[in-house]
């Protein structure tokens, strides 16, 4: 909290709200935790600008109601609209795999527009999505900013340890990869390069809490010399506590409520991972053998 209050510049001394610009990666799995963090921050009197492409903003606008509609402002930016990449594909949700290279290239070209938005709004703080920064937004080290990592601290800590060439064993043996998994991970990292934040002075927010992942947060902080702060878990409110959820959510919760404990598994791989035929078959066999819903 002190970090956000320190961002309140003299220019805004007469304004009760610190103004924060959020830049999530262009997919639901990234925008959703950003939106949950935005709602938490508005409860501290902070005004939020949530920036994304129109198709992504349209998908979340109905979730910004009541008191949140006054303190969360949606800001559009536009990818270059190409014949093979119309505006409906300005998101990773439903993006065909063969368009990924074009999408990422268009995202890289958006860097000047993002910087123009920052210069125009002049927020007190920018919260970057680490994945977004990897593909598009170069960090503004002279501008108050932090990174938000949307997945677990354990995966963050373990992956960095593998790629840091420290020559030491990872101190938590319950987290490990088999040889073929390790080869695949290192190949993927080699193609995409390591997250830029590991070499930057920007503090790191992680979608987790100390009660769940304190030791992994501490390990990553000591390995990188970054300030690592938990801000989660950033999950949507339950359908019973808010009017945000639609009929589909209520139907799902009613179905799940009829199942016995430990009887149901949720399998999700994200919109940017495309399973091979062999992988789909192996997962299907595993689900059949597990005898779960």
């Amino acid at each position: 909290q002190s970090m956000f209050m320190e961002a309140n510049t003299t220019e805004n001394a007469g304004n009760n709200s610190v103004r924060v610009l959020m830049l999530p990666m262009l997919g639901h799995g990234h925008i959703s935790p950003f939106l949950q963090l935005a709602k938490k921050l508005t409860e501290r009197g902070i005004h939020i600008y949530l920036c994304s492409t129109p198709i992504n903003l349209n998908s979340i606008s109905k979730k910004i109601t009541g008191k949140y509609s006054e303190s969360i402002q949606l800001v559009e930016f536009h990818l270059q609209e190409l014949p093979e990449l119309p505006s409906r594909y300005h998101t990773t949700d439903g993006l065909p795999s063969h368009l990924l290279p074009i999408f990422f290239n268009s995202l890289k070209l958006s860097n000047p527009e993002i910087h123009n938005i920052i210069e125009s709004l002049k927020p007190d703080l920018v919260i970057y999505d680490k994945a977004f920064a990897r593909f598009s937004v170069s960090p503004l080290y002279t501008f108050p900013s932090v990174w938000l990592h949307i997945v677990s601290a354990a995966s963050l800590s373990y992956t960095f340890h593998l790629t840091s060439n420290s020559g030491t064993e990872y101190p938590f043996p319950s987290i490990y990869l088999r040889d073929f998994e390790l080869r695949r991970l290192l190949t993927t990292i080699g193609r995409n390069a390591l997250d830029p934040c590991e070499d930057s002075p920007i503090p790191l927010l992680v979608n987790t809490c100390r009660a769940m992942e304190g030791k992994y947060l501490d390990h990553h902080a000591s390995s990188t010399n970054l300030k690592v702060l938990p801000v989660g878990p950033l999950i949507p409110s339950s359908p019973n506590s808010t009017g945000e959820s639609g009929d589909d959510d209520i139907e799902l919760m009613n179905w799940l409520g009829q199942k016995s404990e430990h009887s149901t598994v949720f399998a999700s791989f994200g919109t940017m991972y495309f399973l091979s035929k062999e992988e789909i078959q192996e997962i299907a066999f595993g689900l059949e053998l597990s005898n779960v819903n």
Side-chain angles (χ1 to χ4, degrees):
Q1 182 181 11
S2 62
M3 176 173 56
F4 291 113
M5 299 313 296
E6 288 168 5
N8 197 0
T9 60
T10 304
E11 178 183 350
N12 288 328
N15 191 326
N16 290 330
S17 293
V18 175
R19 296 171 303 121
V20 172
L21 173 64
M22 291 187 161
L23 296 170
M25 183 60 175
L26 307 184
H28 177 75
H30 291 255
I31 294 174
S32 179
F34 266 79
L35 179 58
Q36 300 312 312
L37 178 59
K39 291 180 177 181
K40 287 187 176 185
L41 293 179
T42 62
E43 295 171 0
R44 305 289 183 94
I46 296 173
H47 187 84
I48 301 295
Y49 300 105
L50 185 56
C51 184
S52 192
T53 53
I55 188 170
N56 284 312
L57 296 181
N58 288 339
S59 70
I60 64 168
S61 59
K62 61 184 178 181
K63 299 180 180 180
I64 303 174
T65 58
K67 62 181 181 180
Y68 297 121
S69 62
E70 299 177 2
S71 50
I72 299 178
Q73 182 177 338
L74 302 182
V75 178
E76 290 186 359
F77 86 92
H78 300 269
L79 296 181
Q80 184 177 5
E81 187 157 345
L82 305 172
E84 61 270 44
L85 194 73
S87 58
R88 70 177 183 275
Y89 285 148
H90 291 182
T91 175
T92 61
D93 298 341
L95 182 70
S97 59
H98 70 279
L99 292 181
L100 275 174
I102 299 172
F103 174 83
F104 288 131
N105 184 56
S106 183
L107 195 54
K108 290 177 182 177
L109 296 176
S110 71
N111 192 42
E113 182 175 353
I114 294 295
H115 280 254
N116 287 338
I117 290 172
I118 295 173
E119 291 298 326
S120 174
L121 293 175
K122 292 182 171 58
D124 299 305
L125 186 73
V126 179
I127 302 180
Y128 293 96
D129 192 323
K130 286 187 66 185
F132 198 1
R134 178 193 301 167
F135 294 111
S136 177
V137 184
S138 58
L140 298 175
Y141 296 130
T142 59
F143 201 87
S145 57
V146 294
W147 304 95
L148 174 60
H149 190 73
I150 66 164
V151 299
S152 72
S155 65
L156 180 66
S157 165
Y158 181 66
T159 303
F160 182 80
H161 184 88
L162 287 177
T163 57
S164 64
N165 299 316
S166 64
T168 61
E169 291 290 327
Y170 189 63
F172 311 114
S174 59
I175 305 294
Y176 67 93
L177 292 176
R178 290 167 288 186
D179 288 343
F180 75 93
E181 295 170 323
L182 182 59
R183 287 194 299 270
R184 184 165 188 172
L185 174 66
L186 295 177
T187 300
T188 301
I189 292 175
R191 287 199 304 266
N192 295 322
L194 200 59
D195 290 336
C197 111
E198 314 303 357
D199 298 318
S200 83
I202 294 178
L204 176 63
L205 310 179
V206 186
N207 181 12
T208 190
C209 62
R210 293 204 66 84
M212 295 171 58
E213 296 192 293
K215 62 184 181 182
Y216 302 112
L217 289 165
D218 292 339
H219 178 264
H220 193 64
S222 63
S223 299
T224 61
N225 293 319
L226 289 175
K227 188 172 185 179
V228 181
L229 304 171
V231 292
L234 300 172
I235 55 177
S237 303
S238 68
N240 293 329
S241 64
T242 177
E244 295 176 3
S245 299
D247 293 338
D248 291 342
D249 299 314
I250 295 173
E251 181 180 358
L252 173 60
M253 294 305 294
N254 288 339
W255 175 86
L256 188 60
Q258 297 171 8
K259 306 301 177 184
S260 59
E261 188 175 3
H262 299 154
S263 68
T264 305
V265 63
F266 173 62
S268 176
F269 301 91
T271 57
M272 292 175 62
Y273 187 79
F274 298 89
L275 296 166
S276 67
K277 180 179 179 180
E278 292 76 14
E279 288 172 327
I280 293 173
Q281 289 175 337
E282 287 299 318
I283 291 166
F285 290 147
L287 291 173
E288 288 178 349
L289 290 172
S290 68
N291 196 31
V292 296
N293 302 305

